[in-house]
Amino acid sequence: MEKATDLFSLKSLKLKTKQQELLLRISILGLVYILAFITRLFSVLRYESMIHEFDPYFNYRTTLYLTQKGFYDFWNWFDSESWYPLGRIIGGTLYPGLMVTAAFIYWTLRFLRFAVHIREVCVLTAPFFASNTTLVAYFFGKELWDSGAGLVAAALIAICPGYISRSVAGSYDNEGVAIFALLLTFYLFVKAVKTGSLAWSLASAFGYFYMVSAWGGYVFIINLIPLYVLVLLVVGRYSMRLYVAYNCMYILGMLLAMQIRFVGFQHVQSGEHMAAMGVFFLMQVFYFLDWLKHLLNDQKLFQAFLRITLTCAISVGAIALGVGTASGYISPWTGRFYSLLDPTYAKDHIPIIASVSEHQPTAWSSFMFDFHILLILFPAGLYFCFKRLSDATIFIVMYGLTSMYFAGVMVRLILVATPAVCLISAIAVSATIKNLSQLVRTKAKPTQGGSGKGTTSTKASSKGALDRSLPYQRNGAIALLVGAFYLLTRYAIHCTWVTSEAYSSPSIVLAARGAHGNRVIFDDYREAYYWLRQNTPQDAKVMSWWDYGYQITAMGNRTVIVDNNTWNNTHIATVGRAMSSYEDEAYEIMRSLDVDYVLVVFGGVTGYSSDDINKFLWMVRIGGGVFPVIKEPDYLVNGEYRVDKGAAPKMLNCLMYKLSYYRFGELTTEYGQPPGYDRARGVEIGNKDIKLEYLEEAFTTSNWIVRIYKVKPPKNRW
Amino acid sequence: MAISYNTNSFLCITVLLLLVPINHSLNSDDLVSELTILRARSTTGVIHLSNILLIRMLSVPVPRPFTLLVFFDSQKLHSDSEISLPTLKNEFLILASSFHANNPANNKKLFFFEIEFQESRASFALFGVKSLPHGCLVSPFATDFERDSIQMESSDFSRHAESMAEFVEAKSKHTVGPIHRPGFISKKQKMSIIELALILSLFLLKKIISGNTLLHNKNTWMVGSIFVYFFSVSGTMYNIINKIPIAMVDTDDPGKLVYFYDGSGMQLGAEGFTIGFLYTILRLLLAFVTHVLVHEKNRNIQRLVMFLAIFVSFWAVKKVFYLYYWKLGFGHIYG
C-alpha cells in the first residue's frame, strides 16, 4: 500500500515536471527568438535604418519596383538602366524569392493597417528570418537528438557570427532568407526519411522550391541530398521510407524549381544537377531489383538477371551522359561549381570569381572568428552522432563535413556550414551537460527526491551509475559543468563583440576613429549618389568599376555601364580596359559606350583602403583577359605594384591613376608629410602634375572618397 | 629579388680570365661536341653551366657557332613564393625539351643552360645579374656578356614557356615550335577517365551492396570525418590555393624562420597544421578515454589518465585561444 502511494505521487510529480518542462522550453525558445532578432539590430542603432553593402541595393530597387508595379511587371521587367547599351532582363536573371517575401510581408503589414515604408521591411527581413531559423534549428535538433539539443542549437545559431555576418539588419540579401529555407528543406527531408510520409516529403519539396527561388546555393541541396541517399544505399540502409522521401522530393522539387525562370530547365540540362538525376534512376533500379528478387525465388536466375540489368542500365546511363555532354544538351559545370571541386581552378582561370574577396579560401583564424568554441565542440558532436547512428545523424554528419570542406574553399560558404556546425555542437553540449547533470543528481537524488530543474528529462536514472560511481565523481562533474558554462559564456561574449564590431557596419557609410577616440562618419558615397541624382541629366550614363553599379542605379537613379551582376565578362573587361588605358585611348572607348560621367572611388585622403587604386590590378587582369593589349607587367615594377615615383610609366599615366590623383598633388593630407601623400598606401604619389584633356572634374565629395568626372563632348573645330 | 655578391667574386673572375688562355685554346667545333655530350648526359636537356665552362665559351672566337639561352637559378630563393623560381625553372626545362623535340636536326645552334648562384657567383657577376628571376639570350656575336646579352623582360616570363618561346623566336632566328607539356591530359581524356571510373564504381557498388566491406565499418567513416575536419579548420585549402609556404624568413632577422604570421588576413602552413593538430588532440583524447581507458582494470591508472586527459585538453583549448587572440591582436578585449 505504501509502495502504491509512493508510485502515485511520483507519477503526478512527473506529469508536473513535464508541464514545467514544456513551459520552460517554450519560454526559452521565445527568448531565443527575440534574441536572434535584437542582436542583429546593432547597425540600426549605431547608424540608421539603411540598406548595406552592394547587392542589397539591387534587391531593394527590385523590391521597390515589385511593390509599386505589381508582380507581373516585375516578372517581365527589362531594365535599360544597367549594362548600357545591352540592358538586363531582370525577371529572368534573378532569384525572386527574397523580393517576393519582402513584398509579401509589406502587403501583409499594409493589410493590417501598419503604415510602414518598404525600406524598413527590407532592412528587417534578414533578422526576422534569422529568428525563424532558430525555430527550425530547434525542431531539427529535436529530430536529431532530443529537445535539449534542439534548444541549445537554437541558442547557438541565434548568435553565431558565421550566420550573423549575412543577416544583420540592413543586409537585405538572398542569403538572409536562404539559410532559413536551406535548413527548413533539410529538416523536412530528414523528417520525411524518418517517417516515410508523403506529406513530409511534399513539404520538403516546397521548402526546396522556396530555396531555389531565393538563392543559387540550392545547388548544394540538390547535390547533398543525392549524396546522402547514395551513402545510405552504400551502407545498406535502403528502405521504403527513403524511396518515398527522395522520389517525391526530387520529382516535385524539380518541377517546382523549373517555374523559376532563372533556373529553368537546368535540372535536366546542367551537369551540376546530374548527380540527383543519376541517384533517382539508381533508386528505381534498386527498387525494381528488390521487387524482382521478391518474385524470383531462384537465386541463380536472379544473379544472372542482375548482371544483365546492371550492365545494361549502367551502359545506357553512361551513353546518355556522354551523348548529352557531347551534343551540348547537358551543359558542363560552371566555373563556380568547378572551383569548389578543384579549388585552384578559379585562381588560374576565372579572375572575375577570384577577384571577389568573399571567394577567397578561408584561413584558420576566419574559422575561429566565425565559429569560436563551436569548432572545438564540433568533433565531440560528431562523436556523439557516430555513437548513436541513425538516418538523421548520418545526414547531419554528412551535411557538416561537406559544408565544412566547402567553407575551407570559400569564405562565404562558412554561412552554409554554420547551421550544421551549430547543430552538431549543440548535440555535444546537450549530451555532455545531460550526462554531467545526471551524475551530479544521482547522489543528490535520495535527499532531493528528484525535484530537478527540469531542463533535462529525468528518464532512466543513469543506468546503474550509482553502484559503480567513482570518488570525486560528483565534484568532478560539477567542475566540468562550470567549465562548460564558462566556455558558453565566452562564446556569447565573443559573438556579441563580433556582431557589434565587425559585422554591423553598413560599408556605405564609413566610420573611423578620430584623433581623440571619437567616431568620425564618412558619408561620401551617399553624397555622391545624391549629387548624381540631382545634378546630372536623367539619361546620363555613368561609368565606374562594377562594384558600384547597383548603388548608382538604386540611389543615384542613373544608367550604368556595368554592375555587380557580372553576367557579361566582355563588357566588364571593356570598362577595365578603359580604366587602364591612356586618356586618349580611354576616351575612344568611353565615346563608343556613350559615357557621360566617370566615377572613381579614392581613399588617399581618408586612408580608406578598399578603393579603386587597390582594386586596379583586378581591372587590369580582367581587362587583359579579354583584350591582350592590356598586360599586367606594364603596371608593375619588378612584380611590385607601386604608385609612387618608382611606379611604372603606364601606371602613372593611365586613366584610373589620373582620375584618382587629379589635383591630389596640391593637397597636404598628413602633418609632416609632403603634399600628395597617399594615406591609404602610405606613399607620396609619383605623378603630381596631372592634366586632363578629355575629361573635367565635375564633383568630389567632402572627403574625396568619390570623385566624379564629366566626359567632354568631342571638339568640333580643329 | 636582389642578390648580393662578395667582392671576392670579382677577383675570382680576373683570376679565371687569366688562367683560361693557358689552360685551353680549343676551337669552336670541340666545344660544340663537348656541349652536345654534356647535354646528352643531362636528363633534362639543359646543361649545368659552371664558371669554367662559361669562361671557355668566352674564349672561343666570335662569331660562335651557337646561341646560348641561360636561366639564372638560386636554390636559396626557391622558397620565395613571390618570384616562384621553381615554376619558372620548370617552364624553362619544358621550353628546352620542346625545342629538342621539335628541332632534332637543328639543335646544335641553340643550347640551354642553367646556372646556380651559390656555386657560380663569378658568372652571375659576369652577366651583371642583380636580381632574379633573370634569363638571357647570348647571340653568337656577343663578346661582353653583360653588355651584349639580351635580357628576358618580366613579360617574357609571364606566360611561362609560351612567352619564353616567343622571346627566343623574336630575339634569335631559331624557332622553338609548339610547347609540349609532359603528363598533360586533355579534357576529352579526362572525361573518358571519369566515365570509366563511374562505370567501375557502379560495379564496385554492387559488391558493396552485397558484402560487408570496409565501407560498412563505422570506423572508416570516423577516420574520414577526422580527416575532413582537420583539413578544413586548419585552413589547408587556403595554403594549397595560395601556395603558402610552411614558414617564411623573418624580414628583420634573415636567420630566423617565422612560423606564425601576425595578422588575420594571412596564415602560414605550419600555423594551420599546429591549430589542426591542437583541435585533433581533443578529439583523439575523447575517443581514447571513452573506448580504451574503460577497459583498464586499475582504478588509479584510470583516474590518472583521466586527469591527464583533462589537463591536456584544457591546455590545448587554452593554446588555441591564446594563438587566436594573439593573431587578431585583440587579446586586450578579453584579457
Side-chain angles (χ1 to χ4, degrees):
Chain A
M1 191 63 203
E2 215 178 83
K3 250 185 184 171
T5 46
D6 231 39
L7 206 78
F8 180 73
S9 67
L10 210 77
K11 209 173 174 185
S12 65
L13 204 74
K14 203 169 183 181
L15 210 77
K16 226 175 154 185
T17 38
K18 263 213 166 136
Q19 282 169 337
Q20 275 182 351
E21 198 190 322
L22 187 71
L23 187 68
L24 263 173
R25 216 187 300 162
I26 290 174
S27 42
I28 289 174
L29 212 54
L31 285 175
V32 167
Y33 192 86
I34 296 168
L35 171 74
F37 192 83
I38 57 174
T39 192
R40 286 164 168 81
L41 297 184
F42 271 111
S43 60
V44 174
L45 297 178
R46 200 158 286 163
Y47 299 90
E48 59 181 80
S49 175
M50 65 167 132
I51 309 280
H52 294 186
E53 309 249 340
F54 305 102
D55 284 18
Y57 272 95
F58 169 75
N59 300 332
Y60 173 60
R61 179 165 163 248
T62 46
T63 314
L64 200 65
Y65 192 90
L66 171 62
T67 52
Q68 283 168 352
K69 302 264 170 83
F71 184 74
Y72 287 100
D73 270 3
F74 166 70
W75 203 231
N76 296 321
W77 183 12
F78 177 78
D79 179 18
S80 55
E81 290 182 10
S82 55
W83 292 94
Y84 183 87
L86 308 169
R88 175 182 173 192
I89 306 158
I90 298 278
T93 56
L94 56 44
Y95 293 101
L98 177 74
M99 297 90 193
V100 174
T101 308
F104 185 74
I105 296 173
Y106 174 71
W107 286 324
T108 314
L109 288 173
R110 280 276 154 144
F111 178 74
L112 297 172
R113 297 297 177 267
F114 288 107
V116 288
H117 191 273
I118 180 68
R119 196 189 58 234
E120 317 299 338
V121 176
C122 292
V123 165
L124 296 178
T125 300
F128 173 62
F129 270 87
S131 293
N132 295 339
T133 309
T134 61
L135 289 187
V136 181
Y138 165 71
F139 285 111
F140 206 162
K142 197 176 162 195
E143 200 57 47
L144 292 171
W145 205 253
D146 56 19
S147 52
L151 282 180
V152 179
L156 290 182
I157 205 169
I159 55 172
C160 185
Y163 184 26
I164 285 186
S165 65
R166 293 321 202 85
S167 63
V168 291
S171 169
Y172 180 55
D173 212 345
N174 292 335
E175 290 93 327
V177 297
I179 291 305
F180 165 76
L182 178 95
L183 202 59
L184 185 69
T185 313
F186 283 154
Y187 165 64
L188 293 171
F189 185 73
V190 165
K191 193 87 185 169
V193 172
K194 195 168 186 176
T195 55
S197 110
L198 270 177
W200 285 112
S201 34
L202 185 69
S204 86
F206 274 98
Y208 178 65
F209 170 59
Y210 187 51
M211 177 70 190
V212 174
S213 77
W215 194 35
Y218 76 87
V219 176
F220 179 62
I221 299 186
I222 202 64
N223 283 295
L224 178 64
I225 286 184
L227 190 68
Y228 166 62
V229 172
L230 198 67
V231 166
L232 286 192
L233 288 184
V234 167
V235 298
R237 279 174 169 269
Y238 170 78
S239 65
M240 201 59 204
R241 293 174 285 117
L242 185 69
Y243 183 81
V244 170
Y246 182 68
N247 287 333
C248 175
M249 189 266 169
Y250 176 65
I251 293 293
L252 270 174
M254 179 170 76
L255 290 177
L256 285 170
M258 284 178 184
Q259 312 309 313
I260 308 294
R261 266 208 292 167
F262 193 27
V263 178
F265 291 114
Q266 278 186 34
H267 276 76
V268 288
Q269 283 186 335
S270 115
E272 287 152 24
H273 302 75
M274 282 302 127
M277 191 183 261
V279 168
F280 172 72
F281 284 122
L282 193 71
M283 280 214 104
Q284 310 314 318
V285 172
F286 227 86
Y287 184 65
F288 181 65
L289 290 177
D290 224 34
W291 179 66
L292 272 184
K293 200 175 181 180
H294 177 70
L295 284 188
L296 295 171
N297 283 322
D298 190 351
Q299 195 65 34
K300 220 172 183 182
L301 206 65
F302 176 71
Q303 283 296 331
F305 181 78
L306 188 72
R307 208 163 297 136
I308 294 166
T309 28
L310 263 186
T311 322
C312 286
I314 290 163
S315 42
V316 166
I319 289 168
L321 191 71
V323 169
T325 317
S327 64
Y329 185 73
I330 298 172
S331 63
W333 291 340
T334 57
R336 254 171 245 240
F337 192 73
Y338 200 77
S339 65
L340 278 181
L341 300 177
D342 174 15
T344 48
Y345 180 79
K347 183 149 174 122
D348 297 338
H349 296 95
I350 329 169
I352 208 149
I353 290 183
S355 74
V356 182
S357 66
E358 61 186 24
H359 291 163
Q360 300 305 315
T362 318
W364 73 268
S365 52
S366 313
F367 270 113
M368 201 68 198
F369 194 69
D370 279 351
F371 289 138
H372 205 242
I373 61 156
L374 300 188
L375 271 189
I376 292 162
L377 295 172
F378 183 75
L382 281 183
Y383 166 76
F384 281 111
C385 286
F386 271 112
K387 223 173 138 192
R388 198 210 278 180
L389 270 187
S390 67
D391 289 353
T393 47
I394 289 178
F395 180 81
I396 196 69
V397 167
M398 285 190 57
Y399 173 27
L401 291 178
T402 45
S403 59
M404 208 58 165
Y405 165 74
F406 291 139
V409 177
M410 262 191 210
V411 171
R412 73 185 293 195
L413 293 180
I414 280 190
L415 179 72
V416 176
T418 305
V421 173
C422 286
L423 280 164
I424 292 175
S425 309
I427 290 174
V429 172
S430 170
T432 314
I433 290 186
K434 197 166 169 179
N435 288 345
L436 289 175
S437 54
Q438 262 169 9
L439 281 184
V440 171
R441 292 192 333 185
T442 40
K443 283 261 171 146
K445 207 173 181 181
T447 50
Q448 286 183 359
S451 61
K453 291 249 162 59
T455 39
T456 55
S457 68
T458 46
K459 61 171 183 185
S461 58
S462 64
K463 297 166 246 162
L466 263 171
D467 47 45
R468 289 200 291 123
S469 64
L470 297 161
Y472 310 126
Q473 179 172 273
R474 191 155 172 265
N475 295 339
I478 290 177
L480 284 177
L481 266 182
V482 171
F485 282 119
Y486 174 74
L487 273 182
L488 289 174
T489 353
R490 269 293 145 98
Y491 173 69
I493 293 172
H494 173 83
C495 291
T496 319
W497 181 81
V498 165
T499 313
S500 97
E501 290 296 316
Y503 288 142
S504 291
S505 59
S507 94
I508 187 147
V509 177
L510 309 166
R513 296 269 175 209
H516 308 292
N518 52 327
R519 199 178 276 267
V520 185
I521 301 281
F522 300 129
D523 205 355
D524 286 40
Y525 279 108
R526 293 198 291 179
E527 189 185 343
Y529 298 143
Y530 290 136
W531 184 88
L532 275 178
R533 181 180 269 243
Q534 283 158 4
N535 297 288
T536 58
Q538 280 271 318
D539 61 345
K541 288 108 198 156
V542 183
M543 182 173 91
S544 72
W545 191 232
W546 58 265
D547 293 16
Y548 316 106
Y550 279 165
Q551 293 179 344
I552 295 171
T553 38
M555 276 190 280
N557 194 18
R558 291 295 173 265
T559 306
V560 292
I561 308 295
V562 290
D563 66 24
N564 311 46
N565 178 262
T566 50
W567 67 276
N568 190 327
N569 192 24
T570 315
H571 216 50
I572 292 182
T574 311
V575 173
R577 183 185 174 183
M579 293 294 192
S580 35
S581 303
Y582 293 126
E583 198 187 347
D584 50 343
E585 293 160 6
Y587 185 67
E588 293 298 317
I589 299 171
M590 290 190 289
R591 290 296 306 167
S592 71
L593 289 171
D594 293 344
V595 172
D596 299 308
Y597 291 90
V598 183
L599 181 148
V600 294
V601 171
F602 173 60
V605 178
T606 48
Y608 172 53
S609 61
S610 44
D611 65 349
D612 279 346
I613 290 287
N614 280 355
K615 289 174 186 168
F616 182 61
L617 269 192
W618 285 109
M619 302 184 201
V620 172
R621 268 172 219 159
I622 291 169
V626 178
F627 305 103
V629 276
I630 305 291
K631 291 198 196 82
E632 191 180 335
D634 293 348
Y635 299 86
L636 303 175
V637 178
N638 290 329
E640 209 180 338
Y641 181 60
R642 305 171 67 161
V643 295
D644 58 357
K645 278 205 184 67
K650 182 123 199 206
M651 176 74 208
L652 290 176
N653 289 297
C654 69
L655 184 70
M656 177 51 75
Y657 191 94
K658 280 176 129 181
L659 297 188
S660 290
Y661 290 119
Y662 181 64
R663 289 200 302 114
F664 185 66
E666 306 156 12
L667 188 76
T668 306
T669 51
E670 207 162 301
Y671 181 73
Q673 297 288 356
Y677 177 76
D678 183 335
R679 292 177 69 188
R681 283 149 289 271
V683 290
E684 185 187 348
I685 60 166
N687 184 359
K688 288 188 188 174
D689 183 33
I690 294 172
K691 298 250 175 343
L692 290 173
E693 200 178 334
Y694 300 96
L695 294 111
E696 60 189 3
E697 188 179 2
F699 182 66
T700 294
T701 55
S702 41
N703 298 302
W704 287 51
I705 288 179
V706 184
R707 312 196 69 185
I708 301 171
Y709 293 85
K710 188 177 189 326
V711 181
K712 287 185 194 165
K715 288 176 193 152
N716 60 353
R717 293 206 185 161
W718 282 272
Chain B
M1 174 70 44
I3 44 181
S4 57
Y5 306 101
N6 48 20
T7 40
N8 290 344
S9 50
F10 292 98
L11 259 175
C12 188
I13 304 169
T14 11
V15 173
L16 278 171
L17 281 172
L18 284 172
L19 285 174
V20 167
I22 311 160
N23 277 349
H24 300 278
S25 55
L26 86 184
N27 65 16
S28 51
D29 290 341
D30 288 346
L31 187 62
V32 169
S33 57
E34 193 186 335
L35 285 177
T36 321
I37 293 165
L38 276 177
R39 185 175 64 199
R41 262 191 224 151
S42 135
T43 49
T44 55
V46 175
I47 303 164
H48 188 82
L49 189 58
S50 60
N51 282 336
I52 295 175
L53 190 61
L54 184 71
I55 299 303
R56 273 169 54 199
M57 270 189 271
L58 255 182
S59 66
V60 172
V62 286
R64 278 181 294 275
F66 54 84
T67 310
L68 292 84
L69 188 66
V70 191
F71 181 80
F72 295 85
D73 192 17
S74 167
Q75 288 292 339
K76 219 177 179 179
L77 294 178
H78 273 208
S79 57
D80 191 319
S81 61
E82 243 172 62
I83 54 174
S84 57
L85 265 187
T87 326
L88 290 177
K89 187 176 176 186
N90 194 30
E91 291 296 320
F92 185 75
L93 297 184
I94 290 172
L95 177 74
S97 61
S98 301
F99 174 77
H100 296 314
N102 294 333
N103 310 290
N106 199 20
N107 62 6
K108 283 183 186 167
K109 298 279 179 203
L110 177 63
F111 285 96
F112 293 80
F113 297 93
E114 49 116 354
I115 181 163
E116 167 60 42
F117 179 64
Q118 292 301 325
E119 56 178 59
S120 316
R121 286 173 192 237
S123 309
F124 268 62
L126 207 60
F127 276 101
V129 180
K130 298 242 159 31
S131 67
L132 291 182
H134 190 102
C136 71
L137 191 83
V138 183
S139 71
F141 302 98
T143 45
D144 181 345
F145 281 4
E146 182 170 358
R147 195 187 60 220
D148 298 336
S149 67
I150 309 160
Q151 197 191 331
M152 273 194 198
E153 299 294 330
S154 55
S155 62
D156 298 317
F157 283 119
S158 63
R159 281 179 303 114
H160 301 140
E162 281 79 4
S163 54
M164 290 185 205
E166 276 172 25
F167 166 77
V168 172
E169 285 173 9
K171 300 288 154 101
S172 70
K173 287 181 195 74
H174 304 287
T175 48
V176 178
I179 301 292
H180 308 288
R181 286 176 189 279
F184 187 78
I185 311 171
S186 75
K187 216 171 183 183
K188 262 188 190 158
Q189 280 166 316
K190 227 182 204 170
M191 283 303 274
S192 57
I193 287 171
I194 288 171
E195 254 167 52
L196 206 74
L198 272 178
I199 292 167
L200 278 178
S201 69
L202 284 175
F203 280 104
L204 270 179
L205 197 72
K206 196 188 126 202
K207 203 177 155 93
I208 286 162
I209 292 161
S210 54
N212 191 16
T213 55
L214 206 65
L215 279 174
H216 293 80
N217 193 344
K218 204 157 77 177
N219 295 336
T220 321
W221 295 90
M222 281 175 102
V223 171
S225 69
I226 291 186
F227 174 72
V228 172
Y229 172 76
F230 176 84
F231 195 68
S232 296
V233 296
S234 58
T236 314
M237 286 323 293
Y238 182 89
N239 295 338
I240 292 175
I241 293 174
N242 293 330
K243 300 196 179 85
I244 303 281
I246 289 290
M248 65 181 191
V249 180
D250 196 340
T251 40
D252 301 330
D253 179 8
K256 227 170 78 183
L257 281 176
V258 178
Y259 291 101
F260 282 81
Y261 186 84
D262 190 358
S264 59
M266 231 272 285
Q267 73 169 34
L268 290 171
E271 186 174 338
F273 283 120
T274 316
I275 297 295
F277 173 70
L278 285 175
Y279 288 143
T280 315
I281 280 187
L282 286 180
R283 188 167 188 187
L284 294 179
L285 273 180
L286 186 68
F288 177 77
V289 165
T290 47
H291 281 96
V292 182
L293 195 61
V294 284
H295 298 302
E296 173 61 46
K297 291 280 175 343
N298 190 337
R299 274 292 163 84
N300 279 327
I301 290 181
Q302 256 187 2
R303 221 165 282 161
L304 188 76
V305 174
M306 196 63 211
F307 276 123
L308 208 70
I310 290 178
F311 176 74
V312 172
S313 312
F314 181 75
W315 170 81
V317 174
K318 188 103 187 144
K319 204 75 197 161
V320 167
F321 278 91
Y322 165 74
L323 285 172
Y324 173 63
Y325 292 142
W326 170 82
K327 189 171 177 66
L328 263 64
F330 55 63
H332 59 278
I333 287 154
Y334 300 103

